[in-house]
Amino acid sequence: MSRHRFHCNALQPGRLSLSAEESHHCATVLRIRPGDEVDLFDGAGRFAVGHLVTSSKKEAVVDVARVEEAPPTSPPLLTLVTAMPRANRQQVLFEKCTELGATHIVAARFDRSTVQPKAGAEAKWRRIVIEAGKQCAAMHLPAVYPPVDFRTTMDETGSAVPNADLHLFGATGGASMPLLAALEAARQARSVCVWIGPEGGLTPDETDVLLQVGAQPVSLGSLVLRVETAAIAVAAAVAFVRDARSGR
């Protein structure tokens, strides 16, 4: 029987207290008993096997003898700067992009955005990411950021932020290169940043801003995709390229 897996931010040798959410899941949902082995990971590549010392719905304590380091995420690393879909579809976006190995997810507000995430929404998104990482055995979890205006994802020098080797944005029209072709043409890129606009599309001004910082328009197919579907499609394409490069 496989061991149950829990997230722990401050992963180090010694006795560690799990978060309130993880303690509740351990003691109340899974009913793991003191003495049982559990797997721990911090989402930044560190992992360990520990023994449960005490278990209650408010605090579970795990004794860890040794912490190990997983290999870093293989390139290309993926940053998604994406509009947010409606609340009932945000979980799908964060969950599936975590499973597909995205390394950064930035929720951006565009001129035509109809969804304006509330303050503190990133806490819920991080919890979704943790649960998805536990399920899919990920060692590295994507960094999740508070909602920002689209234009603040550019710095004063006109370079795209976060810094990446390749900058792309979802677009429609004959001038757009297929996403996989763009990734194939930039084989040496170790990191890629992709902007995904709202379901109403990017405005001409937003498109001009992206072109000015060197971002390339790419096509995600002939059909009009929902925001979360576009994000998942991008993450899947980059994961395909990543696995092809590493021979998986």
Side-chain angles (χ1 to χ4, degrees):
M1 181 177 179
S2 61
R3 292 184 294 264
H4 291 290
R5 195 165 187 250
F6 298 95
H7 179 261
C8 181
N9 276 324
L11 190 52
Q12 60 186 358
R15 292 197 171 188
L16 307 175
S17 294
L18 301 183
S19 68
E21 294 89 348
E22 293 293 76
S23 294
H24 172 77
H25 192 223
C26 175
T28 306
V29 179
L30 298 176
R31 299 184 182 275
I32 301 175
R33 299 178 179 179
D36 288 349
E37 284 189 334
V38 295
D39 286 336
L40 301 180
F41 77 114
D42 67 356
R46 292 163 62 84
F47 66 97
V49 177
H51 289 85
L52 192 63
V53 178
T54 60
S55 180
S56 73
K57 64 181 180 180
K58 292 185 177 180
E59 183 181 40
V61 177
V62 181
D63 186 48
V64 172
R66 183 179 65 181
V67 175
E68 299 182 62
E69 192 85 25
T73 302
S74 300
L77 308 182
L78 172 62
T79 294
L80 284 168
V81 180
T82 177
M84 282 293 100
R86 293 178 182 176
N88 63 341
R89 301 203 300 268
Q90 290 173 15
Q91 178 167 347
V92 175
L93 188 157
F94 284 94
E95 180 181 89
K96 301 311 175 188
C97 290
T98 297
E99 293 176 6
L100 289 165
T103 50
H104 300 81
I105 304 176
V106 182
R109 303 185 191 94
F110 294 81
D111 292 343
R112 291 174 176 162
S113 290
T114 58
V115 175
Q116 302 295 335
K118 297 179 180 179
E122 67 273 15
K124 177 181 178 180
W125 298 335
R126 288 191 181 103
R127 191 65 213 166
I128 294 169
V129 163
I130 288 171
E131 290 301 322
K134 289 164 62 176
Q135 179 67 33
C136 71
M139 289 297 181
H140 298 85
L141 298 179
V144 175
Y145 300 86
V148 295
D149 185 84
F150 158 73
R151 288 167 181 79
T152 67
T153 63
M154 315 289 172
D155 70 16
E156 295 177 353
T157 65
S159 298
V161 177
N163 190 29
D165 299 330
L166 177 64
H167 304 117
L168 308 171
F169 65 94
T172 58
S176 301
M177 179 183 294
L179 175 59
L180 279 176
L183 294 171
E184 179 65 19
R187 292 187 181 183
Q188 302 306 313
R190 296 186 59 81
S191 56
V192 56
C193 180
V194 183
W195 282 267
I196 297 172
E199 291 176 5
L202 298 172
T203 64
D205 179 66
E206 289 170 334
T207 298
D208 287 343
V209 169
L210 286 166
L211 291 172
Q212 287 169 16
V213 299
Q216 304 173 38
V218 292
S219 168
L220 303 181
S222 59
L223 301 178
V224 178
L225 305 180
R226 292 184 183 271
V227 171
E228 71 276 15
T229 307
I232 294 167
V234 168
V238 174
F240 173 83
V241 172
R242 183 186 304 123
D243 288 349
R245 288 188 189 179
S246 61
R248 294 180 182 175

